[in-house]
């Protein structure tokens, strides 16, 4: 008998008779058992429908009322529209300031500008993350309103992550009318990069092509000489002149009008608070997708790479073992979330006169529906100053002037007003004094607390803490669970006061951790609460996350590589070479490689020298190491671009063989490297400048030229 013949529709009659003989109830016991079985089954099937229905309000018993209004839960509870015109109408806004930011500067400027427009001109103004709204809806903004763009350019003319959707729309859209749109625009860039402020140029070109009307010439801030702040303020002054003379806005006396309110709530317990843990859920989904969640990672080992006694460069190995969901790929970045140094935290608490109630629970709420809260709440003042605000950042001139209204004495008010209004006086002052908020307040009024300075003002105006990104210097093939970073410790004297040093927050935070592991103090006596909020970082841990990068090795190991790095720009190439060594060890062919590395001196800061020599012995003739030392005694200064010029023919040959070119380090170095390579191609090929430029665009489009640069 086949299986098909035993299906429910083909059971033989004699078999059915046999089954029914034993399956038919014959007594009270059988009927009782059958009733129980049927009842039990019906009860199970009806659970949640007829009985034991979940209480739809059960969760309210566990909600904290204080989180509903203004807290992160409340801020994200109602999904906002992605139509910017509709949002402006709903919130009664006349002006929108769009921002596109990679490091946070453009975002900070956008919030400053919106706040000042409201305070000085009485115009209802909102800020808008470009990734939060549908780009096409800008066409619905009526001509009675005004749009402003503040957008940064980074890398090789690239838009920031949160600008990507708008960038794709403005560069590809056709036939869309923006004739009703009135706008102004400011770009943030660095002339050390080849494509200086390209993003704002492309955006303005797209707006004008669609008929939008610019109310003033495009503004451009240049960070090459650290002038971004003053360039922004000069552009803002021109914008306000436009408001006064062309738009007829009436300027009013500038007084602080909070967009946030901060309330104490002593009913909250410590377990209810955010004590300094980073908030990794404020980015738009597409941006957040580029990074892992923030986790606590152990530093398994650290060592000093410099031999100079007055400078430090750290190699740190981190451990992903406790975070199995975290992975990285060779070329990715690792972000470190720092804490502020003890001295600056204590100074600020002292000058504000809030040293004692530092741990009282506070809740941050929005006064304006268009204001987003990006600091975790509820929290405490102590956590704010230690982990959530950049209290070590220099105070900009706008804020110096604004702080005068809260001054405890007339003299302090007059001094701050003068310092904030006069560009030259301010520049001279900050060249001699590291102007953090705590130091400024103490200098302005040494003997009195700034008790009238609202905490909400500081949360609104001070930069919020952001992570610092480091190129991962290990290979995910060789060391999949232990990524490493290479961090030079930033400590620099002031231009006009060599005795006063400015210490980079994150690099010195890492140095303090490294020194603690060896039971040694920080070289400059800087201390941090290294155990972190709620002792979460005890035992040598950091808050960190991994960010994906496009700075990747070619798919095939046969592809030749030209790598150029200066200082800690060597970090990703250590990873590349480590991976190529491993590939060769398992019998696969690897392509020809040249590594150009530059530093000051051979004996003091040639990082990873022994490792590079070992890799060279493994790879043999496949790897050529070319060095350049800029401060070697008895020899002329040489930089990596000089060595590239010397070996131009070899580089052209590898490029012709399909080689990929990589540059990592400062933007100024990358620009000079590009000039040297372009000159070599021009000489070898007999090309014109236009032909070199066309080749440049082609290799970058094919990802055959990649850069990981900064500053």
């Amino acid at each position: 008998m086949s299986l098909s013949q035993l299906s429910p529709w083909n059971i033989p009659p004699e078999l059915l008779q046999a089954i029914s003989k034993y399956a038919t109830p014959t007594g009270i016991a059988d009927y009782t058992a059958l009733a129980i079985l049927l009842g039990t089954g019906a009860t199970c099937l009806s659970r949640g429908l007829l009985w034991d229905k979940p209480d739809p309000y059960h969760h309210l018993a566990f909600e904290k009322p204080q989180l509903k209004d203004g807290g992160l839960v409340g801020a994200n509870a109602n999904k906002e529209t992605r139509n910017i015109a509709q949002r402006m109408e709903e919130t009664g806004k006349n002006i929108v300031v769009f921002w596109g930011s990679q490091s946070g500067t453009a975002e900070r400027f956008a919030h400053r500008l919106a706040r000042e427009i409201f305070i000085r001109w009485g115009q209802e103004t909102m800020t808008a993350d470009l990734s939060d709204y549908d780009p096409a809806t800008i066409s619905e903004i009526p001509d009675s309103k005004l749009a402003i763009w503040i957008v940064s350019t980074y890398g090789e003319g690239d838009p920031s992550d949160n600008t990507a959707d708008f960038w794709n729309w403005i560069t590809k859209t056709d036939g869309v009318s923006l004739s009703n749109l009135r706008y102004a625009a400011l770009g943030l860039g660095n002339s050390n990069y080849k494509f200086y402020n390209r993003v704002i140029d492309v955006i303005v070109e797209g707006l004008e092509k669609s008929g939008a009307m610019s109310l003033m010439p495009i503004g451009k801030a240049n960070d090459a000489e650290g002038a971004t702040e003053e360039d922004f303020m000069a552009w803002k002054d021109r914008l306000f002149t436009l408001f006064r003379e062309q738009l007829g806005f009436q300027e009013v006396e500038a007084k602080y009008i909070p967009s946030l309110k901060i309330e104490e709530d002593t009913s909250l317990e410590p377990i209810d608070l955010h004590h300094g843990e980073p908030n990794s859920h404020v980015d738009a989904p597409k941006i957040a997708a580029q990074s892992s969640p923030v986790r606590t990672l152990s530093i398994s080992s650290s060592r000093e790479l410099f031999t100079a006694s007055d400078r430090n460069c750290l190699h740190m190995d981190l451990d992903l073992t406790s975070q199995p969901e975290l992975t990285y790929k060779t070329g990715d970045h690792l972000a470190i979330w720092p804490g502020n140094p003890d001295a600056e935290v204590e100074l600020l608490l002292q000058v504000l006169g809030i040293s004692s109630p530092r741990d009282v629970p506070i809740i941050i709420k929005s006064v304006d529906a268009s204001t987003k809260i990006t600091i975790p709440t509820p929290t405490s003042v102590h956590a704010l100053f230690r982990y959530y605000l950049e209290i070590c950042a220099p105070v900009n001139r706008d804020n110096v002037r604004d702080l005068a209204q809260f001054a405890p004495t007339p003299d302090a008010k007059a001094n701050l007003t003068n310092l904030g209004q006069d560009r030259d006086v301010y520049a001279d002052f900050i060249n001699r004094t590291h102007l953090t908020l705590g130091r400024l307040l103490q200098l302005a009024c040494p003997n009195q607390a700034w008790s009238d300075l609202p905490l909400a003002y500081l949360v609104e105006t001070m930069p919020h803490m952001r992570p610092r990104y480091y190129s991962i210097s290990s290979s995910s093939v060789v060391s999949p669970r232990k990524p490493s970073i290479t961090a030079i410790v930033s400590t620099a004297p002031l231009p006009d006061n060599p005795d006063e040093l400015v210490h980079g927050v994150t690099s010195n935070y890492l140095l303090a951790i490294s020194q603690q592991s060896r039971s040694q103090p920080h070289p400059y006596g800087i201390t941090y609460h290294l155990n972190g909020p709620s002792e979460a970082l005890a035992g040598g841990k950091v808050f960190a996350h991994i960010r994906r990068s496009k700075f990747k090795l070619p798919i095939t190991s046969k592809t030749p590589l030209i790598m150029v790095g200066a200082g800690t720009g060597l970090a990703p190439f250590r990873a590349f070479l480590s991976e190529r060594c491993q590939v060769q060890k398992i019998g696969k062919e690897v392509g020809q490689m040249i590594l150009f590395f530059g530093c000051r001196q051979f004996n003091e800061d040639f990082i990873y020298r022994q490792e590079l020599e070992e890799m060279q012995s493994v790879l043999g003739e496949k790897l050529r190491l070319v060095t350049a030392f800029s401060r070697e005694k008895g020899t002329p200064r040489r930089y990596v671009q000089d060595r590239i010029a010397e070996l131009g023919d070899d580089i052209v040959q590898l490029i012709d063989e399909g080689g990929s070119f990589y540059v990592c380090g400062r933007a100024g170095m990358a620009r000079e490297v590009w000039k040297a390579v372009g000159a070599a191609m021009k000489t070898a090929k007999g090309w014109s400048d236009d032909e070199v430029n066309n080749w440049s665009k082609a290799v970058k489009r094919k990802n055959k030229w990649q850069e990981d640069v900064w500053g």
Side-chain angles (χ1 to χ4, degrees):
M1 186 178 293
S2 68
L3 290 175
S4 63
Q5 290 175 312
L6 287 178
S7 70
W9 295 272
N10 295 291
I11 298 176
E14 56 273 17
L15 183 57
L16 284 173
Q17 291 176 0
I19 293 172
S20 64
K21 179 179 178 181
Y22 294 99
T24 303
T26 59
I28 294 176
D30 288 345
Y31 282 107
T32 302
L34 181 60
I36 292 172
L37 288 172
L38 291 173
T40 302
T43 300
C44 291
L45 292 173
S46 65
R47 183 180 181 184
L49 297 173
L50 301 178
W51 68 282
D52 196 28
K53 295 174 67 175
D55 178 5
Y57 303 104
H58 177 69
H59 66 284
L60 296 179
F62 302 94
E63 283 192 357
K64 299 182 185 302
Q66 67 272 12
L67 293 182
K68 294 182 181 179
D69 300 316
L72 288 174
V73 174
N76 296 325
N78 298 320
K79 186 173 179 62
E80 297 176 355
T81 177
R82 284 184 54 80
N83 185 313
I84 184 58
Q86 180 181 335
R87 183 63 175 164
M88 292 180 73
E89 193 64 33
E90 289 174 351
T91 55
K93 303 301 181 185
N94 301 322
I95 300 174
V96 57
V97 184
F98 292 108
W99 57 267
S101 184
Q102 195 70 14
S103 65
T105 305
E107 178 184 3
R108 188 166 69 251
F109 284 168
H111 293 315
R112 273 175 60 185
L113 179 63
R115 189 174 60 85
E116 192 167 353
I117 291 174
F118 176 62
I119 291 173
R120 288 182 59 180
W121 301 94
Q123 296 294 317
E124 293 289 345
T125 308
M126 66 176 289
T127 58
D129 181 335
L130 280 168
S131 64
D132 283 346
Y133 296 95
D134 181 352
T137 62
I138 68 168
S139 63
E140 300 176 28
I141 298 176
D143 59 6
S144 60
K145 300 183 186 295
L146 175 65
I148 299 172
W149 271 266
I150 301 181
V151 180
S152 65
T153 297
Y154 86 103
E156 284 300 289
D158 299 320
S160 61
D161 291 341
N162 78 307
T163 310
D165 284 350
F166 180 78
W167 173 267
N168 291 334
W169 179 79
I170 199 69
T171 55
K172 296 176 182 177
T173 190
D174 194 21
V176 174
S177 174
L178 300 178
S179 57
N180 287 331
L181 185 69
R182 301 184 304 163
Y183 77 93
L186 171 69
L188 310 184
N190 187 316
S191 59
N192 283 330
Y193 291 83
K194 183 180 180 183
F195 297 98
Y196 168 60
N197 261 314
R198 173 175 178 254
V199 173
I200 198 65
D201 285 339
V202 171
I203 286 176
V204 167
E205 181 183 347
L207 293 173
E208 292 183 349
K209 183 184 71 173
S210 298
M213 182 176 69
S214 174
L215 297 180
M216 60 185 288
I218 183 174
K220 293 184 178 180
N222 186 1
D223 198 42
E225 301 297 331
T228 297
E229 183 71 40
E230 289 295 338
D231 289 342
F232 164 71
M233 293 177 66
W235 172 83
K236 176 165 62 71
D237 288 343
R238 294 194 296 272
L239 177 68
F240 289 171
T241 300
L242 170 79
F243 284 179
R244 183 185 306 107
E245 297 179 356
Q246 296 186 35
L247 301 184
F249 292 170
Q250 297 297 312
E251 189 170 6
V252 297
E253 183 181 356
K255 291 183 178 179
Y256 172 59
I257 303 174
S259 62
L260 299 173
K261 59 181 177 180
I262 297 179
E263 300 174 349
E264 293 185 0
D265 188 342
T266 55
S267 69
L268 295 174
E269 299 294 333
I271 195 173
D272 300 322
L273 307 184
H274 296 273
H275 296 281
E277 305 83 355
N279 176 29
S280 58
H281 303 291
V282 295
D283 288 330
K286 288 190 177 180
I287 301 172
Q290 300 300 314
S291 298
S292 74
V294 179
R295 294 289 185 262
T296 56
L297 301 182
S298 297
I299 298 175
S300 58
S301 64
S302 67
R303 67 181 191 270
E304 175 63 54
L305 297 177
F306 283 172
T307 59
S309 59
D310 60 339
R311 299 169 62 226
N312 298 92
C313 185
L314 302 173
H315 172 93
M316 285 187 157
D317 294 307
L318 294 97
D319 194 345
L320 303 181
T321 304
S322 63
Q323 308 293 344
E325 79 278 17
L326 295 192
T327 60
Y328 78 99
K329 297 293 183 183
T330 305
D332 283 346
H333 299 128
L334 192 139
I336 301 292
W337 294 78
N340 286 311
D342 294 334
E344 293 292 340
V345 175
E346 294 302 321
L347 174 60
L348 188 52
L349 288 167
Q350 178 187 338
V351 297
L352 293 175
I354 52 177
S355 295
S356 54
R358 63 178 65 191
D359 293 319
V360 172
I362 58 172
I363 301 173
I364 306 172
K365 299 181 179 180
S366 297
V367 173
D368 188 324
S370 66
T371 301
K372 281 188 175 181
I373 297 173
T374 58
I375 289 178
T377 183
T379 183
S380 67
V381 177
H382 187 241
L384 269 180
F385 292 164
R386 187 173 291 283
Y387 297 108
Y388 293 135
L389 296 179
E390 294 266 13
I391 66 170
C392 293
V395 184
N396 63 69
R397 192 157 56 87
D398 271 351
N399 283 359
V400 171
R401 185 191 62 232
D402 289 348
L403 284 166
Q405 64 187 298
F406 309 114
T409 67
D411 286 346
K413 182 176 183 177
N415 290 336
L416 288 178
T417 301
N418 180 53
L419 183 61
Q421 289 180 341
D422 193 312
R423 175 175 178 167
D424 293 334
V425 171
Y426 174 82
D428 177 68
F429 191 77
I430 63 171
N431 281 339
R432 293 181 287 106
T433 307
H434 181 39
L435 207 62
T436 65
L437 179 63
R439 297 181 188 195
L440 173 66
L441 300 181
Q442 187 181 53
L443 284 170
C445 194
N447 301 315
Q448 282 188 258
W450 288 67
S451 52
D452 291 335
L453 178 55
L455 188 57
Y457 174 85
L458 300 183
V459 175
E460 287 183 59
T461 59
M462 294 189 72
H464 293 181
M465 186 69 81
R466 287 182 173 270
R468 275 61 164 181
Y469 290 92
Y470 296 90
S471 298
I472 294 178
S473 53
S474 58
S475 162
S476 58
V477 171
V478 178
S479 183
R481 304 307 298 163
K482 287 196 174 181
S484 64
I485 59 172
T486 309
I488 191 164
V489 179
S490 174
T491 294
L494 288 170
D496 296 337
N497 185 2
D499 293 332
E500 183 163 359
L501 301 176
V502 180
H503 303 283
V505 173
T506 307
S507 60
N508 280 277
Y509 172 74
L510 292 175
L511 178 58
I513 296 174
S514 178
Q515 293 292 95
Q516 184 190 56
S517 68
R518 291 188 283 272
S519 300
Q520 296 177 357
H522 188 285
Y524 294 99
I526 305 173
T527 61
Y528 300 81
H529 183 58
L530 298 180
N531 284 351
S534 304
E535 304 296 296
L537 305 179
K541 296 179 182 178
V542 291
F543 288 121
H545 71 265
I546 293 166
R547 184 177 70 181
R548 296 178 187 173
S549 168
K550 297 178 182 177
F551 198 74
K552 300 296 184 186
L553 279 165
I555 295 176
T556 172
S557 61
K558 295 181 182 179
T559 303
L561 306 179
I562 306 108
M563 298 164 283
V564 185
T568 55
L570 179 60
F573 303 134
R574 175 183 183 265
F576 283 11
L577 292 176
S578 177
E579 191 155 313
R580 281 280 172 105
C581 284
Q582 185 68 18
V583 168
Q584 178 161 297
K585 286 177 182 177
I586 62 175
K588 289 189 176 182
E589 183 180 351
V590 299
Q592 210 52 51
M593 293 167 282
I594 300 181
L595 170 63
F596 292 88
F597 171 68
C599 61
R600 293 183 182 183
Q601 295 178 320
F602 178 85
N603 287 325
E604 290 189 356
D605 49 7
F606 189 166
I607 60 176
Y608 299 121
R609 176 162 57 94
Q610 185 176 347
E611 289 186 23
L612 289 175
E613 291 171 352
E614 292 171 357
M615 291 178 185
Q616 198 165 27
S617 67
V618 171
L619 294 166
E621 295 180 353
K622 293 291 185 179
L623 173 62
R624 185 176 179 183
L625 179 60
V626 181
T627 55
F629 303 106
S630 61
R631 299 187 188 180
E632 193 69 29
K633 295 177 181 178
T635 63
R637 293 193 173 198
R638 301 177 85 187
Y639 298 95
V640 287
Q641 58 265 30
D642 300 324
R643 301 307 312 272
I644 286 171
E646 294 171 14
L647 301 174
D649 291 342
D650 296 341
I651 291 172
V652 171
Q653 180 180 342
L654 283 185
I655 290 174
D656 286 344
E657 292 173 359
S660 293
F661 205 108
Y662 298 87
V663 185
C664 185
R666 292 200 168 274
M669 177 273 291
R671 183 189 59 191
E672 295 303 317
V673 166
W674 174 249
K675 288 180 181 178
V677 174
M681 295 295 290
K682 190 175 181 180
T683 300
K685 307 285 188 181
W687 284 348
S688 65
D689 290 338
D690 287 341
E691 287 173 312
V692 172
N693 288 332
N694 290 336
W695 169 79
S696 163
K697 294 176 183 177
V699 294
K700 289 178 180 177
R701 189 167 54 247
K702 297 175 183 176
N703 286 328
K704 300 295 287 184
W705 184 290
Q706 297 184 40
E707 295 186 358
D708 185 358
V709 298
W710 57 86

